[in-house]
Amino acid sequence: MSSREECVSIDLEGRSYNIVVGEGSLHAATTFEGLPSAHAALIVSNTTIAPLYAATLRSAIKSRFPVVHEVLLPDGEAYKNWETLQLIFDALLSNACDRKTVLFALGGGVVGDMTGFAAASYMRGVPFVQVPTTLLAQVDSSVGGKTAINHPQGKNMIGAFYQPRLVVCDLATLDSLPLRELSAGLAEVIKYGPIADVDFLDWLESSIEDLMARDRAALAHAVRRSCEIKAWVVSQDEKETGLRAILNFGHTFGHAIEAGMGYGVWLHGEGVAAGMVMAAELSRRLGLVDAAFVERLTALIARAGLPTKGPVLDAADNAGRYLELMRIDKKSEGGEIRFVLIDGPGKAVVRAAPDALVREVIDACCG
Ligand code: NAD
Ligand code: GLY
């Protein structure tokens, strides 16, 4: 590991792995030293990212894998589905890849989630590595082993828990990220403050402009601290039987926005941003936080260039449409929606809320 790299470990007994956070890590063969050896690797990427970074990754791993195949997926959340997943299986089978083949997910959360799901199911499981190239993927989706595709009726509804062998976050890849995508990633960074770490929330308030300006030191701290918090949560509750659900702060409303608008219209992070404001406001109306906390969080989200209000999904009955979509959420139990709420800054709880109150929040927070 070079001096400009740091390593966060995720402790999962036989499935522990490292998250490397560095600058230029993608160039170094040493980054990939601990991986199992195999005859072949498959780089899974998309048509936007591969021209930027696939040659670099290929060069870094070529000494470990005599044959490196590549498959490029269409770019976008709208393609996170069965048809696109099939392209990965087609590439594996047409190249006669065996069960030792290592998959590399080179891209954002969409490529990562689909590659992980393909790795979980090809020959009942092959090793895979996450090489996240968006801020969102570096701070969240590449870590923790959630893999999935969308269903037209619900976000991430079909998938598996399947851990990568290594996560490589090269901060240099964030230089080419469009600003809107950087902001979307900041939504997932911000979420860690209210749910788990008030000091981090304070730091974000003093550093948000540096992050928006892609200051490398600020980004390094944000990625490392986010990964530390996520690793701490996932190590205690890998399969989301309890604690891990707090990582979905803002996501119940956010997933409804994504599905209701049509996948790809609102970015995932944008839905989460507006969703966090709604969840904070619901927390306030339930007496868990005060108005000052909601204002504080809303202001930070706005400074990160993110929406603080949700869209209107149905002009006739907007709240009804949100409720209908939110009932398909994975946290729902027996049709009852369960929300991640803030129970004082730095502490999250998961609980149901009366429909009437949720309707009031949606009416107040959309438009
Ligand atoms: P994304 O994968 O669609 O990437 C965003 C856009 O940026 C794409 O157009 C992509 O091609 C482009 N891009 C990626 N890296 C780039 C770079 N370095 N330079 C230029 N362009 C680049 O979106 P995302 O925000 O990374 O991920 C969102 C997805 O992640 C959603 O599907 C969400 O459900 C999922 N997610 C999963 C988890 C999990 O735990 N598995 C957690 C959070 C989000
Ligand atoms: N992004 C939420 C989780 O990984 O649990």
Side-chain angles (χ1 to χ4, degrees), residues 46 48-49 52-53 75 77 80 108-111 113 133-134 136-137 140-141 143 146 155-156 173 176-178 181 188 230 244 268:
N46 75 21
T48 306
I49 302 153
L52 299 171
Y53 302 112
D75 183 4
E77 184 75 34
K80 194 174 148 180
V110 170
V111 166
D113 279 11
T133 61
T134 63
L136 185 141
D140 193 352
S141 64
V143 175
K146 277 190 181 176
K155 173 92 180 149
N156 292 335
T173 61
S176 56
L177 198 62
E181 299 290 350
E188 298 281 22
K230 182 150 187 186
R244 184 168 178 167
H268 177 71

Side-chain angles (χ1 to χ4, degrees), residues 3 10 24 40-41 53 62 77 83 86 91 147 157 192-193 199 215 232 239 245 258 265 270 275 283-284 306 313:
S3 59
I10 180 154
Y53 302 112
K62 69 180 181 210
E77 184 75 34
E83 290 71 29
Q86 185 68 21
T147 75
M157 277 294 150
Y192 291 111
D199 290 344
D215 176 89
W232 172 77
K239 303 234 166 123
E258 284 189 83
V265 178
E270 293 169 344
S283 309
R284 184 188 74 77
L306 288 160
L313 300 179

Side-chain angles (χ1 to χ4, degrees), residues 23-78:
E23 292 178 36
S25 317
L26 198 49
H27 291 258
T30 48
T31 305
F32 303 93
E33 255 168 5
L35 290 176
S37 6
H39 173 67
L42 174 72
I43 297 175
V44 183
S45 192
N46 75 21
T47 47
T48 306
I49 302 153
L52 299 171
Y53 302 112
T56 306
L57 176 59
R58 185 180 272 274
S59 166
I61 62 174
K62 69 180 181 210
S63 59
R64 292 200 73 75
F65 304 100
V67 183
V68 179
H69 306 290
E70 202 169 299
V71 60
L72 300 191
L73 311 180
D75 183 4
E77 184 75 34

